[in-house]
Amino acid sequence: MTLSAEAHERLADLVALQPTKNSDLQDRWGLDSGSAVHQYLESHLREYYYRDEDSMIRATAEASTLVGDDADEAPAVHMSDTERLVFDVIAGPEDRSQSVVSVLHAVQDEHGADADGLDAGGVRRALQTLKRKGIIEVENRTVPTFRLAVPRQEVTIADD
């Protein structure tokens, strides 16, 4: 996706201000409402942001790279407990991708009691969230399968 100069500048704002909310971006961008911010994000920057579990706006890893965020350390990624369990066991970038059920079984095998109550729906939601964050990628075979998009050691998980 090619960004206009304005969209690139606004993406840089999002990277610099993250985690942020609509009202902060509204003030920064001189828009009339939080709704206008949401519309702009969805129509121009959809691939480059996500909302975390607290509904704060965050940039994807790809967005940080695109705007040249050259921090020595990768930006910390906020993950829910389920996302952390999935991240811990998901296939690496060079490994064969895994189905939702395969990831569920890997979490159960690796984390036992910590995975109690976790079902395929919870794993699917975690995988989709990690995909939006740019951490995993999907390979469509007979069923969608997943693996890390980046080496595990390049991801910094934020402490809550």
Side-chain angles (χ1 to χ4, degrees):
M1 176 179 191
T2 304
L3 295 176
S4 67
E6 176 187 63
H8 193 272
E9 287 178 26
R10 288 184 173 183
L11 184 59
D13 289 342
L14 193 153
V15 169
L17 295 173
Q18 71 176 321
T20 189
K21 50 191 174 189
N22 286 10
S23 61
D24 296 336
L25 294 174
Q26 176 186 341
D27 294 342
R28 181 76 162 246
W29 298 345
L31 297 176
D32 295 331
S33 66
S35 180
V37 169
H38 177 75
Q39 286 179 327
Y40 188 88
L41 289 170
E42 283 297 301
S43 61
H44 294 91
L45 302 175
R46 171 179 254 168
E47 297 176 29
Y48 302 109
Y49 87 97
Y50 65 94
R51 291 191 183 265
D52 66 15
E53 59 275 0
D54 297 321
S55 295
M56 297 296 284
I57 301 166
R58 295 186 178 274
T60 64
E62 182 181 1
S64 296
T65 301
L66 187 64
V67 299
D69 183 27
D70 56 354
D72 292 341
E73 186 176 304
V77 177
H78 292 268
M79 292 185 194
S80 69
D81 291 340
T82 302
E83 290 165 19
R84 287 174 191 242
L85 293 174
V86 167
F87 175 76
D88 189 40
V89 302
I90 189 80
E94 302 300 319
D95 299 326
R96 182 172 169 82
S97 56
Q98 299 171 272
S99 69
V100 171
V101 173
S102 174
V103 173
L104 173 61
H105 288 278
V107 168
Q108 291 169 335
D109 290 346
E110 182 71 24
H111 295 285
D114 289 341
D116 283 350
L118 186 60
D119 62 4
V123 169
R124 184 175 295 106
R125 283 187 296 281
L127 288 165
Q128 292 300 332
T129 300
L130 293 171
K131 177 184 166 218
R132 281 193 308 277
K133 293 177 181 182
I135 296 170
I136 66 168
E137 61 188 9
V138 177
E139 179 182 337
N140 288 307
R141 295 195 318 239
T142 305
V143 296
T145 58
F146 304 83
R147 71 172 158 244
L148 289 174
V150 297
R152 198 176 316 276
Q153 64 271 17
E154 289 184 15
V155 177
T156 303
I157 301 174
D159 296 325
D160 291 330

